[in-house]
Amino acid sequence: MRRAIYPGSFDPVTNGHLDIIERGCKLFDEIIVAILVHPEKQPFFTIDERREMLSQVLQQIDRGSCKVRVDHFEGLLVQYAVAQQANAIVRGIRAISDYEYELQMALMNRRLEPSIETVFMMPAETYSYVSSRLVKEVFQLGGTLDGLVPPAVEARMKQKVRPAAND
Ligand SMILES: Nc1ncnc2c1ncn2[C@@H]1O[C@H](COP(=O)(O)OP(=O)(O)OP(=O)(O)O)[C@@H](O)[C@H]1O
Ligand SMILES: [Mg+2]
């Protein structure tokens, strides 16, 4: 039984995240998509909203026989991973710029908890420039999110800023 944690903010979940989860499903029996709670960060979506959206869009991807569930946690990732009896942490690498930070985190996590391996996965090229931050920026400036996030996520973003409108 191979269980991995895929941690992140998922504020909101993008097609890049889903691509990594689909690929992870080929390697693991179970993936826990774990939202990291940052008490001091001001998010766009609440934890509950992010959990709900993730659960919804995860139904739409190819999971094979892999079980994918959504959770959230606070504090040290490796402590959470051990508590969940996970073997690995999955992280997505888009470009060299991700690698530097991710390598540092992976090595620190290994030092803190040698039993857990970090697995880096590369998304399809189409998603190699997609980030939640950029998605929010494009959205706030009125650009289309077609192909960057699932339609349900774009709809939730619109709803969030214009709760009264029903288009
Ligand atoms: N398009 C993508 N392709 C591959 N990996 C990705 C992609 N977007 C995010 N990831 C990876 O998913 C994990 C969780 O990322 P996170 O929730 O921080 O998303 P993010 O898009 O980087 O958000 P933010 O812009 O807020 O930092 C990280 O390992 C990150 O590198
Ligand atoms: Mg990020």
Side-chain angles (χ1 to χ4, degrees), residues 70-86:
V70 180
D71 193 14
H72 69 272
F73 73 102
E74 227 172 307
L76 215 49
L77 170 60
V78 287
Q79 267 171 16
Y80 171 77
V82 167
Q84 298 295 318
Q85 296 181 297

Side-chain angles (χ1 to χ4, degrees), residues 2 4 6 17-31 62-63 66 68 90 119 121:
R2 298 265 140 210
Y6 180 38
H17 293 131
L18 295 177
D19 180 278
I20 294 296
I21 296 166
E22 269 190 2
R23 288 173 202 281
C25 277
K26 297 181 192 162
L27 300 181
F28 297 99
D29 303 302
E30 185 175 339
I31 296 178
D62 182 11
R63 288 161 290 160
C66 176
V68 184
V90 167
V119 176
M121 303 201 73

